């Protein structure tokens, strides 16, 4: 096979071989198949939601004509930093990541910006640092939708437990603050017990067990992610509270994610609602924006052609807020928030195959 005759103007043939990449005539780094090479760091693989995102990513890369390198930082910002160095050494022209510690990632973002490697963050927004685009849903809306559902079901009074994620994460902070603000404003008769869990299902189950023992009249639970689903159902079963919504002992449960198990549990009356976080669209648009960055495209705030809105979070930082509907058994409206039925075929959780 004839050797490629074009090399990047800034790299020697030896460097090009070391990076296992070459350049096309436009100077864009490409893999051996000629496609632009990008890196995607998976933040973890211990939840159904992120495993779904991992499943969707290669398909989206293929559809967009991108060659893919992947790593997994396992919820560890030090590993994410090391993985970014690996991507640099491989010659990627863009990186998608989902930093779980949104403050500690700033130095890595600064380094990538200096090397002119565009970054798209998925699901989380960095507290500081430059990224080309943030792809996530409106996480404050998650908390508000959960609040409106529980507030309506409880008739504006009673006790609920909020199983928080990690408050070092923008997602944990957004969901927590929005849920609390909504309850104080709209349902002041509802008492909220906030429990920090660090996105750890075992911690969530232990704290829920303690709360239900101290307050057996708790009637609502807001899980900020499906990480707490299994443990929550186990605790409710142990307490004799895992009963259908028609039973007066029923505890109303709202989750976040929209994984298949949640949708089945809603239909089965084990939980009552979730907010469907779009794992499929996170994968698709993370890579869509990386390709756009490589192609030199720019964006501005406003409505998109894919049912979302780009907002300017701060100077130089844009966020594409994807649609994330409330999902219930009946598809009703709660506190002014409309929902879709759990068996709706438009939900990604019903289309994993």
């Amino acid at each position: 096979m004839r050797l490629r005759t074009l090399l990047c103007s800034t790299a020697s043939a030896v460097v090009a071989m070391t990076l296992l990449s070459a350049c096309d005539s436009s100077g864009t780094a490409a893999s051996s198949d000629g496609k632009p090479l990008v890196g995607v760091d998976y933040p973890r693989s211990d939840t159904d939601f992120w495993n779904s995102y991992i499943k969707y990513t290669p398909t989206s890369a293929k559809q967009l004509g991108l060659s893919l390198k992947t790593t997994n930082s396992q919820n560890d910002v030090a590993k994410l930093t090391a993985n970014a160095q690996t991507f640099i050494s491989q010659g990627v022209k863009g990186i998608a990541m989902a930093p779980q510690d949104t403050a500690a990632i700033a130095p890595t973002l600064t380094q990538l910006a200096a090397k002119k490697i565009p970054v798209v963050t998925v699901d989380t927004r960095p507290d500081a640092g430059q990224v080309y685009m943030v792809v996530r849903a409106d996480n404050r809306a998650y908390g508000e939708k959960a609040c409106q559902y529980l507030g309506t079901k409880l008739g504006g009074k009673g006790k609920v437990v909020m199983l928080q994620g990690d408050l070092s994460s923008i997602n944990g902070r957004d969901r927590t603050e929005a849920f609390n603000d909504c309850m104080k404003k709209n349902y002041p008769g509802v008492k909220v017990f906030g429990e920090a869990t660090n996105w750890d299902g075992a911690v969530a189950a232990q704290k829920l067990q303690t709360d239900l023992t101290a307050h057996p009249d708790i009637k609502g639970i807001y899980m900020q992610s499906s990480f707490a689903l299994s443990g929550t159902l186990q605790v409710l079963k142990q307490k004799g509270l895992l009963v259908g919504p028609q039973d007066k002992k029923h505890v109303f449960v709202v989750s976040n994610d929209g994984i298949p198990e949640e949708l089945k549990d809603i239909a089965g009356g084990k939980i009552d609602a979730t907010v469907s976080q779009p794992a499929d669209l996170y994968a698709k648009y993370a890579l869509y924006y990386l390709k756009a960055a490589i192609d030199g495209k720019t964006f501005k705030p406003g409505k998109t052609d894919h049912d979302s809105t780009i907002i300017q979070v701060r100077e130089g930082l844009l966020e594409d807020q994807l649609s994330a509907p409330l999902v219930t058994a009946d598809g009703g409206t709660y506190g002014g928030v409309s929902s879709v039925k759990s068996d709706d075929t438009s939900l990604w959780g019903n289309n994993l195959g």
Side-chain angles (χ1 to χ4, degrees):
M1 181 180 294
R2 191 192 322 179
L3 294 174
R4 296 179 66 101
T5 58
L6 295 174
L7 292 173
C8 293
S9 60
T10 58
S12 68
V14 174
V15 172
M17 291 178 65
T18 301
L19 296 180
L20 300 178
S21 64
C23 296
D24 62 20
S25 58
S26 66
T28 299
S31 64
S32 58
D33 58 8
K35 298 176 181 178
L37 181 65
V38 299
V40 176
D41 181 80
Y42 302 135
R44 55 199 302 169
S45 54
D46 58 349
T47 70
D48 289 342
F49 176 80
W50 283 114
N51 283 331
S52 297
Y53 171 77
I54 289 170
K55 178 180 178 180
Y56 284 118
T57 297
T59 301
S60 295
K62 182 177 180 181
Q63 291 172 344
L64 289 164
L66 297 171
S67 189
L68 192 62
K69 294 285 187 180
T70 64
T71 56
N72 192 318
S73 53
Q74 300 175 339
N75 202 27
D76 185 331
V77 71
K79 289 182 180 179
L80 176 53
T81 296
N83 291 344
Q85 305 308 312
T86 297
F87 285 144
I88 292 171
S89 73
Q90 292 171 331
V92 302
K93 302 306 286 184
I95 297 174
M97 63 174 69
Q100 303 298 283
D101 187 328
T102 52
I105 195 60
T108 299
L109 295 178
T110 298
Q111 180 191 19
L112 292 170
K115 292 182 176 295
K116 301 189 184 305
I117 299 175
V119 174
V120 172
T121 63
V122 182
D123 182 52
T124 61
R125 179 204 309 148
D127 296 355
Q130 179 181 338
V131 300
Y132 179 80
M133 182 70 74
V134 176
V135 175
R136 69 195 283 257
D138 182 350
N139 276 247
R140 286 193 62 85
Y142 289 5
E144 291 166 358
K145 290 174 182 179
C147 160
Q148 294 290 0
Y149 183 86
L150 287 176
T152 299
K153 285 294 187 179
L154 271 60
K157 58 184 179 181
K159 299 175 181 178
V160 302
V161 177
M162 173 169 51
L163 299 174
Q164 301 163 332
D166 185 344
L167 297 185
S168 70
S169 160
I170 185 66
N171 290 351
R173 295 197 299 271
D174 276 358
R175 297 175 199 184
T176 296
E177 292 169 3
F179 187 82
N180 284 333
D181 291 348
C182 171
M183 281 296 184
K184 290 176 182 178
K185 178 181 177 181
N186 299 296
Y187 307 103
V190 174
K191 181 174 178 57
V192 178
F193 298 98
E195 300 289 3
T197 70
N198 195 34
W199 307 115
D200 186 314
V203 173
Q206 182 271 318
K207 291 191 174 182
L208 178 60
Q209 175 88 29
T210 299
D211 284 335
L212 284 171
T213 299
H215 306 278
D217 55 343
I218 284 171
K219 298 300 292 181
I221 300 170
Y222 170 38
M223 306 182 299
Q224 289 191 359
S225 168
S226 59
F227 76 95
L229 179 62
S230 177
T232 293
L233 295 182
Q234 184 176 7
V235 169
L236 290 176
K237 184 176 182 179
Q238 291 172 348
K239 294 284 187 180
L241 299 174
L242 191 59
V243 295
Q246 305 307 320
D247 192 306
K248 64 180 182 181
K249 293 191 298 182
H250 182 73
V251 177
F252 292 95
V253 179
V254 181
S255 187
N256 278 160
D257 278 345
I259 62 173
E261 193 63 30
E262 287 176 323
L263 303 183
K264 292 175 184 176
D265 286 343
I266 292 172
K270 293 182 179 180
I271 70 172
D272 302 274
T274 189
V275 179
S276 180
Q277 185 169 219
D280 55 341
L281 299 184
Y282 279 2
K284 177 179 179 178
Y285 287 104
L287 293 173
Y288 166 84
Y289 284 115
L290 278 188
K291 187 173 187 299
I294 293 169
D295 292 342
K297 296 180 180 178
T298 59
F299 297 88
K300 60 183 179 180
K303 295 289 185 180
T304 71
D305 61 359
H306 48 270
D307 191 31
S308 68
T309 302
I310 295 176
I311 66 168
Q312 180 170 300
V313 178
R314 56 180 181 264
E315 185 65 30
L317 182 63
L318 297 178
E319 177 174 304
D320 188 355
Q321 296 190 328
L322 303 178
S323 177
L326 177 68
V327 181
T328 63
D330 63 1
T333 298
Y334 297 89
V337 177
S338 60
S339 69
V340 299
K341 290 186 177 181
S342 59
D343 60 357
D344 194 302
T345 57
S346 68
L347 298 170
W348 68 267
N350 287 325
N351 292 291
L352 280 178

